[in-house]
Amino acid sequence: MKLLLDFLPLILFFATFKGAENNSEMASQWATQHFGMLVSGGVVGPKEAPVLLATLVVIIATLAQVAFLKLKGRKVDLMLWVSLGLVVVLGGLTVWFHNETFIKWKPSGLYWAFGSVLWFSQAVLGKNLLKSMLSGELDLPAKVWRQLNSAWVLFFGLMGLLNLWVAYTFELSTWVNFKVFGATALIFAFTIAQGLVIAKHLPPDDAADPGTPKP
């Protein structure tokens, strides 16, 4: 359920963009009729309709995500608040100015926010957030926790640059595909790689539970 909730705005963004892209004239007319007041000039063209509608959907979905968590009495993570702020501000600028450039910067802003928080907590506050979140499940040397933290900081920095490279080098539809599939696959692959590194430093099962009788 949590995984679906986390990915729901991204899924809806992709579905809305592709649906509007395949029916751009109809999407243009519908967007102009229903959301013209939110757009400078009041008219949404066929070329810009897909990204504008997808951006509106992701803004609403992210707001709904936060509202759902608050109504359930659950904690809203700091990064979700950051994501909400970025998508409302940059998404709002994209809609008003008919310009997808603003929303293209949103993933980079989020990646860099992730990396900055991890770096600041370790370098300035002396607190390793990865260790704080996972120390109850993993027993790793302090050096390894620092290495993992640094690796994620570097990864998020590079992901932000990669997002902008794709955004400014390729067509909008290619960037949307990368945002949904490419970036997700890279994060998943990096997480697996980190898991392999962690596995090398975990104690053997018999060492972790010395009271367990051997067969």
Side-chain angles (χ1 to χ4, degrees):
M1 182 63 182
K2 185 179 185 304
L3 188 63
L4 177 61
L5 187 64
D6 289 341
F7 279 93
L8 186 59
L10 186 63
I11 294 170
L12 292 176
F13 178 88
F14 179 77
T16 303
F17 180 86
K18 291 300 180 181
E21 187 181 39
N22 293 331
N23 302 276
S24 58
E25 291 292 341
M26 184 183 301
S28 171
Q29 296 174 11
W30 192 85
T32 298
Q33 180 180 354
H34 292 89
F35 301 108
M37 77 290 294
L38 301 176
V39 180
S40 175
V43 177
V44 179
K47 184 178 180 180
E48 61 211 28
V51 71
L52 262 63
L53 287 173
T55 299
L56 285 170
V57 166
V58 81
I59 291 174
I60 294 170
T62 307
L63 285 168
Q65 188 180 19
V66 171
F68 174 80
L69 292 173
K70 297 294 286 185
L71 289 173
K72 289 292 184 178
R74 293 160 60 182
K75 180 182 178 181
V76 179
D77 294 335
L78 173 62
M79 287 301 101
L80 181 53
W81 284 118
V82 173
S83 180
L84 176 63
L86 287 171
V87 78
V88 169
V89 173
L90 297 179
L93 291 172
T94 283
V95 172
W96 177 253
F97 288 109
H98 308 243
N99 191 336
E100 72 271 11
T101 298
F102 298 103
I103 198 63
K104 285 179 175 180
W105 274 81
K106 188 261 180 181
S108 293
L110 191 59
Y111 294 139
W112 290 336
F114 282 149
S116 297
V117 168
L118 291 175
W119 174 83
F120 183 84
S121 298
Q122 178 71 64
V124 179
L125 303 180
K127 182 179 180 180
N128 189 304
L129 291 183
L130 292 179
K131 182 179 180 180
S132 299
M133 292 186 291
L134 301 174
S135 60
E137 303 174 14
L138 299 172
D139 183 17
L140 300 172
K143 179 181 178 181
V144 176
W145 283 118
R146 288 193 298 270
Q147 290 173 343
L148 292 175
N149 190 79
S150 298
W152 276 106
V153 170
L154 178 60
F155 175 74
F156 283 131
L158 293 176
M159 283 295 294
L161 294 175
L162 179 59
N163 173 71
L164 292 181
W165 178 74
V166 174
Y168 283 99
T169 304
F170 301 96
E171 295 181 354
L172 178 60
S173 59
T174 302
W175 172 77
V176 170
N177 290 332
F178 170 78
K179 169 182 166 65
V180 177
F181 299 107
T184 302
L186 287 172
I187 292 172
F188 180 76
F190 188 75
T191 302
I192 296 297
Q194 293 288 79
L196 296 176
V197 172
I198 290 173
K200 295 180 180 179
H201 297 277
L202 294 178
D205 291 339
D206 54 352
D209 187 10
T212 303
K214 296 182 180 180

